[in-house]
Amino acid sequence: MSLATPTGPVDVSVLVPAKDEAENLPAFLSQCEAAFRDAPFVAEVVVVDDGYADETPQVLAALRARYAFLRV
């Protein structure tokens, strides 16, 4: 698999600003997983939460448990 693990080396980092994106993040990360699964490099997705008053932190915490390549 070409997705980062918590301790493995990373070749590509995708930086994603998240402002009021709580409801879009699950589908986005699922698409990232599909896109990078067979890539010839190791990828991670770094989501930067801007602190907006939505459910983004809670959603990211749940998604972090599912996607090892997600960094918050």
Side-chain angles (χ1 to χ4, degrees), residues 1-4 30-43 69:
M1 182 175 259
S2 294
L3 294 166
S30 176
Q31 292 171 353
C32 288
E33 180 182 47
F36 292 129
R37 181 178 297 124
D38 297 322
F41 50 82
V42 177
F69 63 87

Side-chain angles (χ1 to χ4, degrees), residues 1-56:
M1 182 175 259
S2 294
L3 294 166
T5 63
T7 59
V10 174
D11 300 312
V12 174
S13 295
V14 178
L15 302 177
V16 181
K19 179 180 181 195
D20 195 20
E21 296 294 338
E23 64 186 59
N24 298 320
L25 288 169
F28 173 73
L29 288 167
S30 176
Q31 292 171 353
C32 288
E33 180 182 47
F36 292 129
R37 181 178 297 124
D38 297 322
F41 50 82
V42 177
E44 69 179 354
V45 176
V46 180
V47 177
V48 180
D49 179 16
D50 73 346
Y52 191 76
D54 68 348
E55 300 297 315
T56 296

